[in-house]
Amino acid sequence: MKKNIVLFVLFILPIVAYLFFASGVNSFTKLPVITPKTADFGNWESLDEKKISLDGKVTILGFSGTELLKNRGNFFNLNQKIYQRYHDFKDLQFVVICPIGTENDAKKVIDALAAFTDVSQWHFLFTSPQEINTYYDQLKLVGKLDENLGTPNVYIIDKERNLRGRKLVKDYKEGYNTFHPAELSNEMLDDFKVILYEYRAALKKNNNASRKI
């Protein structure tokens, strides 16, 4: 009897575990493209005065709207659940598009985060309301910006500027709601891991594994 138990633990249980995890929504293979080849940013001013581009970066993209300070808790949720865990990957950036005039509010948010986080990969960009609407429209999303030009959702954009998510009818996901920590810890974290897996697998295949994504 004991021998049978040992054999089950050593051989059968690992197979059952593999089949269980392999049956997941994404199965760590490839996260679908929602919108291909999104536009890059314009020559918009950034809070840290750096030129920010989507090219060659995995980007977590957000739209703050004019109520940036009121919704600052959303940024803290995202920071705690995703950013702090993965910000050491050099090919990752978190970019928030903000209306011109909210620079001081963005500075307050980044200063608050800097008290306990390396914020070098947080970037706030500023442009006009018209350009924000134009940029958001070309993402071709189901969700819309609110009357303040913001949304609690953030979006995953890969190094080739493709917006990624889930396309299944019963599980469609184009963005992740930062107001809900559980959504960040579950759906977003799962999907983000798939993106990381893709790039790590590609690096391994090309015999070029490194600390970068």
Side-chain angles (χ1 to χ4, degrees):
M1 182 66 180
K2 290 183 178 180
K3 183 178 180 181
N4 290 336
I5 293 174
V6 171
L7 289 174
F8 177 81
V9 171
L10 290 178
F11 298 104
I12 306 301
L13 191 59
I15 294 174
V16 172
Y18 170 79
L19 292 174
F20 173 80
F21 288 110
S23 64
V25 173
N26 293 311
S27 301
F28 285 92
T29 54
K30 191 173 181 64
L31 195 66
V33 172
I34 302 295
T35 306
K37 298 300 179 183
T38 64
D40 203 357
F41 305 124
N43 292 317
W44 302 338
E45 180 182 350
S46 67
L47 195 62
D48 52 10
E49 299 182 348
K50 294 180 180 179
K51 171 64 178 176
I52 307 301
S53 173
L54 291 171
D55 290 329
K57 296 282 189 178
V58 174
T59 301
I60 306 302
L61 178 66
F63 295 80
S64 72
T66 57
E67 307 250 314
L68 197 158
L69 272 186
K70 180 179 178 181
N71 298 317
R72 62 187 178 276
N74 295 354
F75 298 106
F76 284 87
N77 289 340
L78 183 61
N79 188 73
Q80 293 299 105
K81 298 299 182 180
I82 307 294
Y83 181 89
Q84 286 196 348
R85 186 167 180 171
Y86 291 105
H87 77 276
D88 57 334
F89 291 103
K90 303 305 180 184
D91 290 347
L92 174 66
Q93 62 183 356
F94 285 58
V95 179
V96 183
I97 298 177
C98 314
I100 291 173
T102 60
E103 290 86 349
N104 288 337
D105 290 345
K107 182 68 164 57
K108 291 177 182 177
V109 170
I110 205 71
D111 286 348
L113 293 174
F116 54 89
T117 301
D118 171 8
V119 295
S120 59
Q121 285 163 276
W122 273 105
H123 303 291
F124 288 79
L125 295 179
F126 304 92
T127 188
S128 68
Q130 180 180 357
E131 288 186 304
I132 290 174
N133 280 319
T134 298
Y135 188 86
Y136 188 86
D137 287 346
Q138 62 86 34
L139 295 176
K140 300 177 181 177
L141 301 174
V142 175
K144 303 298 180 183
L145 294 177
D146 62 26
E147 65 274 12
N148 299 309
L149 301 173
T151 173
N153 288 345
V154 291
Y155 309 93
I156 298 175
I157 299 181
D158 66 22
K159 291 183 178 184
E160 290 73 42
R161 304 209 312 261
N162 301 310
L163 192 148
R164 310 286 286 276
R166 306 183 187 186
K167 298 186 79 171
L168 296 177
V169 174
K170 293 183 178 181
D171 193 33
Y172 179 80
K173 178 71 67 175
E174 61 186 19
Y176 309 86
N177 194 323
T178 57
F179 182 76
H180 300 293
E183 184 167 333
L184 301 179
S185 297
N186 295 308
E187 289 96 331
M188 184 174 184
L189 188 57
D190 286 348
D191 291 353
F192 189 70
K193 285 179 179 178
V194 176
I195 294 290
L196 297 188
Y197 176 84
E198 287 182 33
Y199 286 112
R200 284 169 173 166
L203 286 171
K204 186 176 181 179
K205 182 177 180 180
N206 295 326
N207 296 317
N208 188 31
S210 72
R211 188 57 177 161
K212 298 174 73 176
I213 293 178

